[in-house]
């Protein structure tokens, strides 16, 4: 055991003494969260929206004027029927259409409630969500003014419709996605590269010619990355809770337990790659092309899997990150418990055991 | 039983396309300082890796300390020390960290076997907090030797420890090896430098994967089949081409300030004939003397 | 010190790395066609000095000219007029012999016609005709080194820098390599050689011995042995290098 700890200590030395590794370890997750969280979601300026005003009365015109005054929007007045709306969205320039029904003001004053319909192109869910939020806020602001002026409980109901992607996948989904991505990056890429580096430097030769169990050499490599991954996970979660304002709905313990399992899956994958490659370049290429890219594509947080052709949908099942992503979404966003995710957990567990067995079986106790 | 035994070992790479070692046999006795001598690509490293259980031989058998290198590789790994050809320590760990790490790997402590390395370690101890990557070539070599010795191995394998190291450090290194040998450690060392051969008790000359000869250096030089002479003159380069053209001469090779020659027919008159031939070609300051062959002479002879 | 005949000329050339003086005021000159041996222990400053002379590293102080070009301002001209060969990098292993010759000829801008002529001549000298289409990685080390040298002088440079060209090469090929060096010297090429083999030091016209970044000896091998009352160059080297105080590279 003492020998094993000596190994682990050495690995920590390697990590902490290489500024580039440290930057990759802690800079990347933070950058990812901030990138997905801010740069890609919130700041939308000068979005083209169309106002279809079937009422043409005082209230609809006042709201239209407020929308036009907002710097986020560039408004166009156009009478569009439902077919025309879809056509406009397809052209891609317009992201949002606000429709006032006939008799808008009349309904508002006499029935004390009126409806505005907001239709958004949700193929880019982040933008769609942000724009509808802006538009709704402006309309609610107008409603508040009405209350102050009239002392009547007049209410404007906004009827929102998302077309192309009604479930708005991707908005709250990037945090689980980034978690999967970062854990893959650290566990697969870093682990495989760090083992292959020993082969390249020739230190593996010396270690092999020692009484120390060679399999333990490799496992000890994984230990620091296991803990660093947990640290990273915490950083991501703290950032998303504190900075992005995205709470963890389910159990934290469950979330960590499942993440630990996924980290093990990824580590075994990293070990397997390092066992079959002999240069850092190859290891890096396999990790990036074979693991990170599919994670990005097949996890479902960038591109909805439902929209993919069937063969790709089937293929997505072999990537562990897909299952982890589903679990995290269920626990973190929907607040579900273990009973809801036991199937996915079982899949991850099986994958881990399988990968570990293969990589230990493939481990070379000699050079060639 | 000898500490190291090779019997008809063969090793090929790329599915037989590259023959690294062919039918190599030799033994290293307990406590012996044994040199494997040959140029780069001769197969030295392959033999070392087979003996240190890092590679499987394609043919033949080998034993280290009575253990078969294929079947009992774990037992061998418990008892040998190995220093690969390139510097194989952690450049980002300090001198002390490297040494402590390797001590722990071999289930021992620096204190336990300090007496073995003390002579060497005192020379690098002033730099013990320096990272290994920032050491000079000679010091890296010493650290690597310390790390290979720390668990008191019975057999020490040193693959080209002096390659690329300057003469001064090389001489120091060989002194260290002699001290270790006197402590009873069996040492197998490889080198491309022929002049280091005489520092070993016995040597194997190796070229293109084949063992040319296994003897003591004295036996190898004594077995040189011709009378060898050293010759020099004012115009060394011209002398070389004249000697090569002369029917009197069998072989002629440059050797530092002299050329070493053997005669086509060695008779009592050979020397005077040659001097006459050279005088006719107006060579001046000609010096011709019989000499004892060096290992390099023997190696060249065996290569042909 | 200035000498119009000198192909390499250095005057009080120094290189500092921060506090560390790697090369300390070295002055020497090398004549056309001379074989100049540059010796020193590991860390004596050989590589640093050589890099300055090749125009790869800017000196801290002092002056030097290579083939008449200044090491501070005319490094591009220097590179056109020198050849360089080291033990580590010499040829592309994954190109054939002919492709390597073509490539290196191309870098120095040899016209196609001349390149073809040179290639044939080179393959003939090295007796590599049958191997023109062989990958360099498949050649024995000794052949690689001979080929690398021939490629380094393909563009007929004024000077060739050889950094441990024969390290690890077998004794026969090592001698054949020196035959090539002699032939190049007779063509008027100046050779600047470092080596760890002391018998090779004897083959040089003059030897420059670097200790702790300074020139401790500079003379013919015969004179050096006389001065140090030594039998061999090995003894001379040992005697001088032992005085070194510096340990770091």
């Amino acid at each position: 055991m003492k020998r094993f700890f000596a190994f682990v200590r050495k690995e920590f030395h390697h990590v902490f003494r290489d500024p580039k590794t440290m930057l990759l370890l802690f800079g990347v997750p933070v950058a990812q969260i901030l990138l997905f969280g801010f740069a890609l979601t919130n700041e939308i300026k000068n979005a083209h929206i169309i106002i279809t005003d079937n009422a043409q009365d005082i209230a609809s015109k006042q709201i239209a004027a407020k929308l036009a005054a907002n710097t986020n929007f560039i408004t166009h007045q156009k009478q569009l029927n439902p077919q025309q709306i879809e056509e406009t969205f397809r052209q891609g320039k317009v992201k949002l259409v606000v429709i006032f029904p006939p008799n808008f003001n009349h309904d508002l004053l006499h029935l004390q409630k009126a409806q505005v319909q907001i239709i958004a192109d949700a193929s880019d869910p982040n933008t769609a969500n942000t724009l509808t939020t802006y538009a709704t806020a402006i309309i609610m602001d107008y409603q508040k003014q009405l209350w102050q002026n009239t002392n009547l409980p007049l209410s404007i109901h906004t009827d929102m419709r998302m077309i192309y992607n009604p479930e708005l996948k991707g908005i709250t989904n990037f945090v689980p996605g980034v978690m999967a991505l970062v854990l893959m990056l650290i566990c697969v890429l870093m682990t495989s590269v760090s083992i292959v580096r020993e082969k390249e430097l020739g230190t593996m030769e010396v270690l092999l010619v020692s009484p120390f169990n060679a399999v333990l050499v490799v496992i000890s490599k994984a230990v620091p990355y296991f803990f660093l991954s947990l640290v990273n996970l915490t950083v991501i979660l703290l950032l998303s809770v504190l900075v992005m304002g995205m709470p963890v709905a389910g159990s934290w313990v469950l979330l960590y337990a499942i993440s630990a399992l996924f980290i093990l899956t990824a580590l075994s994958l990293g070990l397997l790659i390092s066992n079959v490659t002999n240069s850092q370049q190859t290891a890096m290429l396999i990790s990036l092309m074979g693991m990170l890219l599919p994670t990005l594509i097949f996890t479902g947080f960038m591109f909805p899997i439902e929209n993919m052709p069937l063969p790709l949908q089937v293929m997505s099942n072999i990537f562990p990150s897909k299952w982890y992503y589903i679990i995290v979404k269920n626990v973190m966003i929907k607040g579900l418990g273990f009973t809801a995710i036991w199937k996915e957990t079982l899949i991850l567990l099986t994958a881990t055991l399988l990968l570990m067995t293969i990589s230990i079986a493939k481990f070379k106790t000699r050079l060639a | 039983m000898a500490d190291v035994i090779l019997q008809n070992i063969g090793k090929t790479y790329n599915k037989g396309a590259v023959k690294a070692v062919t039918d190599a046999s030799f033994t290293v006795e307990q406590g012996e300082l044994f040199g494997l001598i040959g140029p780069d690509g001769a197969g030295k490293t392959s033999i070392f890796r087979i003996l240190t259980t890092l590679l499987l031989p394609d043919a033949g058998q080998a034993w280290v300390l009575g253990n078969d290198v294929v079947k009992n590789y774990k037992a061998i790994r418990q008892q040998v020390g190995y220093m690969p050809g390139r510097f194989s320590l952690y450049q980002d760990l300090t001198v002390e960290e490297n040494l402590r790490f390797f001590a722990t790997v071999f289930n021992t402590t620096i204190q336990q076997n300090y007496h073995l390395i003390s002579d060497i370690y005192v020379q690098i101890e002033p730099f013990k907090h320096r990272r290994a990557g920032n050491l000079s070539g000679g010091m890296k070599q010493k650290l690597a030797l310390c790390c290979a010795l720390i668990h008191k191995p019975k057999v020490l394998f040193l693959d080209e420890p002096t390659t690329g190291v300057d003469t001064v450090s090389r001489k120091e290194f060989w002194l260290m090896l002699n001290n270790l040998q006197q402590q009873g450690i069996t040492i197998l060392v490889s080198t491309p430098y022929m002049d280091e051969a005489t520092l070993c008790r016995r040597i194997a000359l190796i070229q293109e994967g084949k063992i040319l000869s296994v003897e003591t250096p004295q036996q190898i030089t004594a077995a040189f089949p011709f009378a060898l002479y050293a010759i020099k003159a004012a115009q060394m380069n011209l002398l070389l081409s004249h000697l090569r053209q002369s029917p009197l001469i069998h072989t002629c090779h440059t050797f530092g300030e002299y050329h070493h020659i053997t005669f086509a027919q060695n008779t009592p008159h050979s020397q005077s004939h040659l001097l006459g031939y050279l005088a006719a070609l107006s060579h001046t300051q000609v010096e011709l003397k019989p000499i004892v062959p060096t290992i390099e002479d023997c190696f060249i002879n065996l290569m042909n | 010190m200035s000498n119009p005949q000198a192909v390499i000329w250095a005057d009080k050339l120094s290189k500092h790395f921060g506090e560390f003086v790697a090369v300390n005021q070295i002055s020497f000159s090398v004549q056309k066609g001379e074989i100049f041996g540059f010796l020193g222990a590991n860390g004596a400053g050989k590589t640093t000095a050589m890099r300055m002379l090749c125009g790869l590293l800017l000196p801290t102080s002092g002056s030097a000219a290579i083939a008449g070009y200044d090491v501070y301002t005319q490094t591009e001209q220097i590179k056109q007029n020198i050849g360089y060969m080291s033990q580590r990098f010499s040829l592309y292993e994954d190109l054939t012999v002919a492709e390597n010759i073509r490539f290196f000829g191309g870098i120095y801008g040899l016209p196609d016609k001349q390149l073809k002529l040179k290639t044939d001549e080179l393959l003939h000298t090295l007796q590599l005709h049958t191997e023109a289409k062989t990958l360099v990685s498949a050649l024995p080390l000794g052949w690689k080194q001979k080929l690398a040298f021939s490629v380094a002088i393909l563009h007929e440079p004024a000077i060739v820098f050889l950094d441990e060209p024969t390290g690890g090469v077998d004794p026969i090929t090592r001698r054949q390599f020196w035959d090539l060096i002699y032939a190049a010297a007779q063509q008027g090429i100046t050779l600047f050689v470092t080596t760890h083999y002391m018998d090779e030091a004897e083959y040089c016209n003059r030897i420059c011995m670097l200790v702790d970044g300074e020139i401790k000896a500079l003379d013919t091998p015969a004179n050096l042995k006389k001065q140090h009352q030594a039998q061999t160059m090995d003894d001379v080297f040992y005697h001088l290098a032992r005085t070194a105080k510096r340990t770091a590279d």
Side-chain angles (χ1 to χ4, degrees):
Chain A
M1 236 16 223
K2 198 181 150 219
R3 286 193 270 172
F4 186 68
F5 284 125
F7 257 100
V8 174
R9 187 169 54 236
K10 171 185 82 80
E11 293 311 321
F12 274 111
H13 279 314
H14 288 321
V15 175
F16 289 132
R17 283 182 190 174
D18 184 11
K20 273 180 255 160
T21 309
M22 290 300 281
L23 192 70
L24 198 61
L25 269 178
F26 294 102
V28 167
V30 174
Q32 293 250 17
I33 286 285
L34 296 181
L35 197 71
F36 279 98
F38 287 112
L40 300 186
T41 4
N42 288 351
E43 274 304 304
I44 295 162
K45 284 209 169 103
N46 304 328
H48 290 271
I49 70 167
I50 285 180
I51 298 169
T52 298
D53 191 352
N54 297 318
Q56 298 284 356
D57 52 31
I58 174 107
S60 71
K61 280 186 179 160
Q62 278 174 340
I63 294 175
K66 273 180 89 79
L67 287 170
N70 192 294
T71 50
N72 293 311
F73 298 134
I74 297 172
T75 56
H76 308 273
Q77 292 269 355
K78 245 182 214 168
Q79 300 303 119
L80 298 177
N81 62 32
Q83 279 90 22
Q84 288 170 315
I85 290 174
E86 256 202 78
E87 211 161 287
T88 326
F89 278 151
R90 247 182 242 134
Q91 286 164 4
K93 218 174 145 191
V94 173
K95 297 283 170 208
L96 197 79
V97 176
V98 181
I99 303 171
F100 294 96
N103 310 321
F104 179 70
N105 196 31
H106 182 269
D107 287 354
L108 194 62
L109 295 177
H110 297 275
L111 304 174
Q112 298 194 348
K113 79 179 175 210
Q115 253 197 355
V116 182
Q117 199 177 27
I118 298 174
I119 304 176
D121 169 7
S123 59
D124 177 356
N126 297 338
T127 313
N129 193 50
T130 314
L131 291 179
T132 45
T133 312
Y134 286 163
T136 316
I138 290 167
I139 293 168
M140 289 303 122
D141 194 43
Y142 177 75
Q143 178 185 290
K144 229 162 77 188
Q145 279 179 17
L146 281 183
W147 287 358
Q148 283 167 358
N149 296 342
T150 60
N151 281 323
L152 281 171
L154 305 176
S155 81
I156 301 173
H157 180 73
T158 48
D159 171 30
M160 273 181 282
R161 266 185 59 205
M162 301 286 175
I163 56 175
Y164 299 129
N165 181 9
E167 276 182 62
L168 273 190
K169 296 216 157 200
I171 305 162
T172 46
N173 299 351
F174 75 88
V175 171
V178 168
M179 278 163 65
L181 197 65
V182 167
L183 293 182
M184 275 310 244
L185 177 80
I186 295 165
C187 300
V188 180
L189 184 75
M190 305 284 241
T191 320
S192 61
V193 165
S194 90
I195 294 175
V196 175
R197 190 187 297 138
E198 297 234 7
K199 290 192 195 174
E200 273 189 4
L201 286 175
T203 42
M204 193 55 109
E205 244 176 283
V206 181
L207 293 181
L208 284 176
V209 187
S210 81
F212 193 63
N213 188 334
V215 175
L216 284 183
V217 174
V218 171
I219 292 179
S220 64
K221 283 255 157 204
V223 173
Y225 291 105
F226 181 81
F227 286 109
L228 287 169
S229 304
L230 286 179
V231 171
N232 251 310
L233 184 73
T234 312
V235 171
I236 296 174
L237 287 175
L238 285 179
L239 269 179
S240 60
V241 171
L242 300 177
V243 181
M244 314 305 305
M246 194 190 134
V248 175
S251 150
W252 281 81
V253 176
L254 186 61
L255 192 60
Y256 267 93
I258 294 296
S259 300
L261 174 64
F262 179 64
I263 291 169
L264 286 180
T265 322
L267 284 174
S268 344
L269 201 58
L271 297 186
L272 184 61
I273 292 175
S274 69
N275 279 344
V276 294
T277 51
N278 276 315
S279 77
Q280 292 188 58
Q281 273 178 17
T282 325
M284 211 175 288
L285 219 63
I286 293 182
S287 305
L288 283 175
M289 290 312 200
M291 289 302 133
L292 287 179
L293 224 55
T295 299
L296 218 55
I297 295 168
F298 290 117
T299 301
F301 82 102
M302 294 284 262
F303 313 102
I305 292 176
E306 297 83 9
N307 296 357
M308 290 180 186
L310 191 67
L312 288 185
Q313 287 193 34
V314 174
M315 210 168 119
S316 71
N317 290 331
I318 63 166
F319 295 100
S321 43
K322 177 191 166 173
W323 306 107
Y324 176 66
Y325 176 68
I326 294 174
I327 296 172
V328 173
K329 247 182 9 183
N330 282 340
V331 175
M332 206 171 155
I333 297 165
K334 297 188 188 155
L336 301 175
F338 183 69
T339 43
I341 55 163
W342 70 269
K343 265 191 228 157
E344 288 81 6
T345 311
L346 197 64
I347 294 174
L348 277 187
L349 195 65
T350 317
T352 310
L353 291 176
L354 194 72
L355 286 169
M356 252 188 204
T357 316
I358 299 175
S359 51
I360 289 176
K362 281 251 165 199
F363 186 79
K364 294 183 197 118
T365 50
R366 297 170 204 272
L367 285 179
Chain B
M1 195 177 190
D3 273 3
V4 178
I5 304 168
L6 262 86
Q7 264 179 17
N8 312 105
I9 285 287
K11 178 73 195 172
T12 60
Y13 297 109
N14 294 345
K15 295 181 178 131
V18 182
K19 289 197 173 94
V21 183
T22 313
D23 203 22
S25 304
F26 62 81
T27 58
V28 182
E29 300 299 326
Q30 206 266 315
E32 195 169 39
L33 177 54
F34 189 94
L36 190 58
I37 298 181
D40 286 0
K44 302 189 298 291
T45 299
S46 292
I47 290 180
F48 268 71
R49 287 181 171 169
I50 288 169
L51 290 174
T52 50
T53 75
L54 286 169
L55 283 181
L56 294 171
D58 296 331
Q61 278 185 294
W63 294 268
V64 174
L65 296 163
N67 301 295
D68 186 293
V69 292
V70 179
K71 288 180 211 129
N72 300 333
Y73 72 94
K74 281 190 177 156
I76 295 175
R77 291 181 184 187
Q78 299 275 358
Q79 303 174 72
V80 303
Y82 172 46
M83 190 172 145
R86 357 171 233 174
F87 180 66
S88 301
L89 299 174
Y90 297 99
Q91 315 254 0
D92 53 347
L93 298 188
T94 65
V95 168
E96 201 179 20
E97 282 166 351
N98 264 299
L99 191 60
R100 193 180 309 130
F101 172 71
F102 282 101
T104 319
V105 166
F106 283 96
N107 229 352
T108 179
T109 57
I110 299 178
Q111 290 73 28
Q112 210 172 331
N113 290 316
Y114 189 76
H115 62 279
L116 259 181
I117 59 161
S118 59
D119 288 350
I120 309 163
Y121 192 60
V122 288
Q123 301 173 50
I124 49 174
E125 204 162 15
F127 311 100
K128 67 180 179 185
H129 297 302
R130 195 185 279 192
R131 293 201 187 164
N134 299 333
L135 293 176
S136 71
M139 287 207 287
K140 276 182 183 167
Q141 223 69 338
K142 284 171 194 162
L143 175 59
L145 186 60
C146 285
C147 289
L149 273 173
I150 192 67
H151 60 295
K152 201 178 180 191
K154 292 191 181 121
V155 183
L156 193 57
F157 292 96
L158 307 171
D159 192 9
E160 298 204 17
T162 52
T163 294
V165 177
D166 64 72
T167 319
V168 179
S169 304
R170 271 163 60 189
K171 285 201 167 119
E172 280 179 17
F173 199 85
W174 278 96
L175 281 176
M176 291 187 271
L177 292 191
N178 272 316
N179 286 338
L180 290 172
Q181 189 215 357
Q182 274 157 27
Q183 297 188 46
I185 298 176
T186 307
I187 303 171
L188 182 56
V189 58
S190 72
T191 176
Y193 299 105
M194 305 283 155
D195 55 338
E196 292 180 346
T198 48
L199 303 166
C200 304
R201 201 187 82 76
R202 281 197 314 140
I203 54 173
L205 301 181
I206 182 170
Q207 162 77 3
E208 289 174 353
K210 297 189 186 80
I211 304 278
L212 304 174
S213 174
V214 187
E215 301 278 4
T216 63
Q218 296 73 26
Q219 283 168 326
I220 286 183
T221 50
F224 192 77
F226 309 103
L228 190 71
Y229 296 87
I231 186 166
K232 75 170 176 181
Q235 299 271 332
M236 286 301 279
N237 211 12
L238 196 62
L239 177 68
L240 184 68
S241 47
H242 284 155
L243 288 170
R244 280 176 180 166
Q245 286 157 19
S246 165
L248 294 167
I249 300 298
H250 177 224
T251 61
C252 171
H253 296 285
T254 54
F255 263 86
E257 72 171 313
Y258 292 91
H259 299 324
H260 287 186
I261 55 169
T262 57
F263 288 107
Q265 280 171 325
N266 195 36
T267 65
H269 307 294
S270 298
Q271 292 190 55
S272 51
H273 283 166
L274 180 64
L275 290 174
Y277 165 78
L278 292 176
L281 290 163
S282 54
H283 275 283
T284 56
Q285 301 167 40
V286 177
E287 184 192 334
L288 178 65
K289 59 182 183 187
I291 52 161
V292 176
T294 64
I295 293 293
E296 194 154 348
D297 289 302
C298 300
F299 197 96
I300 292 173
N301 177 53
L302 289 167
M303 273 176 78
N304 289 327
Chain C
M1 192 72 204
S2 179
N3 182 341
Q5 286 295 304
V7 181
I8 303 175
W9 169 83
D11 188 27
K12 293 186 180 136
L13 197 64
S14 299
K15 180 72 193 178
H16 300 208
F17 294 106
E19 294 276 290
F20 181 69
V21 184
V23 174
N24 192 8
Q25 304 213 340
I26 57 171
S27 305
F28 63 93
S29 65
V30 184
Q31 307 304 309
K32 184 173 156 62
E34 192 173 4
I35 303 173
F36 191 76
F38 202 60
L39 307 185
N42 299 116
K46 276 181 310 201
T47 310
T48 307
M50 206 142 144
R51 285 192 181 145
M52 285 195 283
L53 298 175
C54 289
L56 296 173
L57 197 64
L58 221 51
T60 308
S61 63
S63 47
I66 307 301
Y69 298 108
D70 185 80
V71 289
Y72 289 93
T73 55
Q74 295 171 302
T75 53
E76 285 315 308
Q77 287 95 319
I78 289 177
K79 286 173 195 169
Q80 268 297 330
N81 284 280
I82 62 169
Y84 178 80
M85 176 197 160
S86 83
Q87 193 190 349
R88 281 157 297 254
F89 172 79
S90 38
L91 299 167
Y92 290 99
E93 300 260 318
D94 53 352
L95 296 186
T96 66
V97 171
E99 284 164 351
N100 264 295
I101 299 173
R102 217 193 138 66
F103 172 75
F104 283 101
I107 311 187
Y108 289 102
L110 290 190
D112 278 355
K113 220 174 179 178
Q114 201 190 342
L115 189 61
K116 204 171 169 322
L117 214 72
K118 280 266 172 193
T119 307
D120 285 341
E121 186 188 308
L122 192 157
L123 291 174
H124 182 74
T125 326
L126 297 179
Q127 298 174 340
L128 273 173
H129 264 307
T130 50
E131 309 289 337
K133 292 200 171 77
T134 309
L135 287 184
V136 164
S137 57
L139 291 181
L141 176 77
W143 289 23
K144 277 186 212 169
Q145 295 299 83
K146 284 191 276 183
L147 180 62
F149 176 71
S150 306
V151 166
I153 59 169
L154 199 64
H155 60 293
E156 293 170 3
I159 307 149
V160 185
F161 289 89
L162 303 171
D163 193 1
E164 287 182 42
T166 55
V169 174
D170 74 71
I172 291 183
T173 314
R174 210 150 66 78
R175 287 171 172 78
Q176 290 169 347
F177 194 92
W178 273 90
D179 286 346
L180 290 177
I181 292 181
Y182 273 117
Q186 258 150 24
Q187 284 172 38
I189 295 177
T190 305
L191 292 117
F192 191 96
V193 191
T194 74
T195 180
H196 278 315
Y197 293 97
M198 284 308 128
D199 58 330
E200 292 185 349
E202 300 270 6
Y203 307 148
C204 300
N205 298 115
R206 279 190 307 151
I207 294 290
C208 169
M209 175 78 193
L210 219 56
V211 178
D212 288 350
E214 290 172 29
I215 295 180
K216 274 286 146 68
L218 175 59
D219 212 327
T220 61
N223 285 345
L224 284 178
K225 279 184 284 186
K226 219 176 282 166
Q227 283 162 24
H228 292 88
Q229 296 167 344
Q231 289 296 309
T232 62
M233 275 309 294
D234 200 37
D235 295 337
V236 176
F237 183 91
Y238 192 66
H239 185 78
L240 286 167
R242 234 184 13 185
T243 62
K245 287 177 188 70
R246 203 145 95 185
T247 46
D249 261 330

